[in-house]
Amino acid sequence: MRLKDAEELIQSEKLENYCFFCNETIKEGIVVIEKEANEWIVYTNNERATKKGEKRYKAESEALLDFIERLRGDKAMRKYNLKNLL
């Protein structure tokens, strides 16, 4: 997967709650992807804005796949929770 592919998927699938190579990674409940030196890092911030499930990748494509899968999971979870509230 390439960066452009990930951006298109995020828009077409209306994925939310993420930080896509941004500086504001302290929000709670978001999926984060960032680059540090020669590694890509993907993690989720829990309800206390603490890193959870951090994974480091040497290949950007692998990191982007993980990032998109986490966003899809987040969307499914929010949809499930909304159905149970109604």
Side-chain angles (χ1 to χ4, degrees):
M1 178 177 290
R2 297 172 310 169
L3 199 58
K4 184 177 178 180
D5 299 328
E7 291 172 333
E8 289 172 0
L9 280 172
I10 289 168
Q11 288 189 347
S12 69
E13 295 183 24
K14 297 180 175 131
L15 301 174
E16 302 174 340
N17 298 331
Y18 62 89
C19 179
F20 195 63
F21 299 104
C22 64
N23 294 327
E24 295 183 34
T25 62
I26 58 170
K27 293 181 182 177
E28 64 183 53
I30 62 170
V31 180
V32 179
I33 185 168
E34 56 190 17
K35 186 173 182 187
E36 183 179 288
N38 293 325
E39 289 185 317
W40 287 264
I41 306 163
V42 180
Y43 59 90
T44 304
N45 279 348
N46 65 16
E47 65 279 354
R48 295 183 184 182
T50 303
K51 288 182 184 181
K52 179 180 174 187
E54 181 180 300
K55 291 187 91 176
R56 293 176 174 261
Y57 297 92
K58 296 290 183 192
E60 180 183 52
S61 60
E62 291 178 24
L64 289 169
L65 284 170
D66 182 17
F67 180 71
I68 293 297
E69 287 303 311
R70 290 181 192 219
L71 287 177
R72 287 173 173 157
D74 175 69
K75 182 178 179 178
M77 182 63 81
R78 284 185 289 110
K79 188 175 180 180
Y80 174 81
N81 287 339
L82 182 60
K83 281 183 180 180
N84 286 332
L85 289 175
L86 300 177

